[in-house]
Amino acid sequence: MINFCGLKLKNPFVVAAGPVTNTIEKLRRAEEFGAAAVSTKLTFLKKPIHGVARYYTEPRLGLVPMFDPRMEVAETAKLVSEAKKQTALAVFCNMTHGGDDVEGWVEMGRVLEGAGADALELNFNCPNITLTEKVLGNANPETFGALIGQDPDACRRIISGIKQSTAIPVLAKLSSRVTDIGRIAAACKEAGVDAVICACGAPSLPPTDIYNRGRIHNPHHSGVSLASLLGSRANLFHAFANVATVTKRTGLPVIGGGGIRTWEDAIQIMMWGGRLVTACSVLMLKGFKAIQKIVKGMEEFLKTQGYGSYEEIIGLSLPYLQMGSEIKAVPVVAEIDPKACKRCEKCLGLAHCEGIHWQGESIVVRTGHCFGCGVCRALCPQGAIRMTEAR
Ligand SMILES: Cc1cc2nc3c(=O)[nH]c(=O)nc-3n(C[C@H](O)[C@H](O)[C@H](O)COP(=O)(O)O)c2cc1C
Ligand code: SF4
Ligand code: SF4
């Protein structure tokens, strides 16, 4: 059990907005496999673009959605009301609208709250509605999604308007395409937001086919706008940074995600400050059963490590987030265990390192040349290298 903005959730897992949360059948499956909450697919008062689903996918790397169909508010209201009748899920409604029309946001919020939504999730993150247009040279695109997420005043204006007209929690899903996500989160806090979501990857493009004159690697689409590489483990480290920054700067409850594939990933998001965790791509690549594995793993971890509740792990890593000037390195050097070393040479000849060389039949660390960076230890497949305190 974990508290989130006055809601009591059975665990911290929220299915993130996407093609996994756009029908009642999918929401029922999400609950069946253990999700506590869902964010419904992005909703508009009126969809500005229409298209069909196309995703560039590399199972190990992640996927770049080239297009994913959105919903209109009446459709989402129906989905929410069915979800509240048929499941015990907490339902957050991911929605966006033009940044200059606060009344439109308020209207959408009213309809979704009326349908039974547990929270309104303001989408300030979607990169490929209008941010792409701006980046590619349209001087004055309409302001939606990630363009709002770059503008603290727009965030403030929309949140204040909605907060005055709703009784349910208001969440802001932030864009990671900003220099200082803490500043945007602080603006959201000033306007009264109840929680923020940090779960977005950096803008990306899919690979090109170098043998087909650079055509993008998806024969079923004419082109691609800047989307994000999602479900990638690389995003996870970016997510840690965003979650930790926002938590430290604002103290707001944070739903963290971006690249979560395993329960260990989810636990780390919480240790960096996340109150809840959220994932989408892993479910597209492995099915809803991935939720069960993640939740079970998290619960077993709490039990075996002696934590009494999820609350106890939130923010445990935050004291390690320090100013660069405060960080002190412990002096260490690498040491190779000659019995464990198989002389595979994987640690040899690293471009930054003059510390490892052959000595007769053995590979050894050269005294006085190791500065203790730790790269060789990570590369050794035998676990033959350990770091010891420098004398
Ligand atoms: C195909 C696809 C569609 C998505 N649609 C939405 C959306 O409608 N609204 C939104 O806020 N995020 C959307 N996202 C982003 C996810 O909600 C999530 O924040 C992101 O994928 C990072 O999590 P992951 O790495 O677990 O996928 C979408 C992601 C994917 C892959
Ligand atoms: S710890 Fe770094 S510097 Fe030392 S031997 Fe290994 S790679 Fe080289
Ligand atoms: S990587 Fe490990 S096993 Fe391979 S040579 Fe270096 S120490 Fe030996």
Side-chain angles (χ1 to χ4, degrees), residues 15-21 39-43 53-55 63-71 94-95 121-127 173 197-201 228-233 235-236 257-261 278-284:
V15 181
V20 294
T21 58
S39 296
T40 52
K41 175 67 200 171
L42 175 58
T43 296
R54 291 286 182 274
Y55 317 123
L63 50 83
V64 181
M66 294 166 163
F67 193 81
D68 194 47
R70 282 77 184 238
M71 298 173 74
N94 185 274
M95 58 190 232
E121 179 177 313
L122 314 185
N123 179 318
F124 296 164
N125 63 283
C126 188
K173 188 165 180 182
I197 304 174
C198 299
C200 298
S228 301
L229 171 66
L230 299 168
S232 165
R233 204 173 147 74
N235 286 342
L236 189 67
I260 291 179
R261 294 254 175 138
T278 192
C280 170
S281 313
V282 68
L283 311 182
M284 295 176 69

Side-chain angles (χ1 to χ4, degrees), residues 11-12 263-264 267 292-310 313:
N11 65 54
W263 65 263
E264 290 94 332
I267 292 283
Q292 201 168 41
K293 253 184 145 170
I294 291 173
V295 171
K296 195 160 170 248
M298 292 175 84
E299 291 190 342
E300 273 175 21
F301 171 81
L302 292 189
K303 220 182 287 161
T304 55
Q305 297 301 306
Y307 294 108
S309 70
Y310 284 109
I313 63 167

Side-chain angles (χ1 to χ4, degrees), residues 336 340-347 363 379-382 384-385:
I336 298 177
C341 174
K342 299 275 188 247
R343 292 176 276 284
C344 69
E345 297 194 338
K346 288 217 163 76
C347 61
I363 289 181
L379 292 177
C380 176
Q382 304 302 325
I385 304 181

Side-chain angles (χ1 to χ4, degrees), residues 4-5 92 119-122 169-173 193-197 255:
F4 177 74
C5 299
F92 308 155
L120 301 175
E121 179 177 313
L122 314 185
V170 174
L171 325 177
K173 188 165 180 182
V193 85
D194 295 281
V196 295
I197 304 174
I255 304 180

Side-chain angles (χ1 to χ4, degrees), residues 75-112:
E75 220 179 331
T76 311
K78 196 160 164 240
L79 176 62
V80 173
S81 100
E82 279 309 306
K84 294 312 292 179
K85 269 188 234 145
Q86 298 187 31
T87 75
L89 290 165
V91 180
F92 308 155
C93 288
N94 185 274
M95 58 190 232
T96 200
H97 185 66
D100 298 326
D101 179 19
V102 175
E103 199 34 56
W105 285 86
V106 168
E107 184 186 336
M108 204 169 5
R110 257 194 223 117
V111 175
L112 296 171

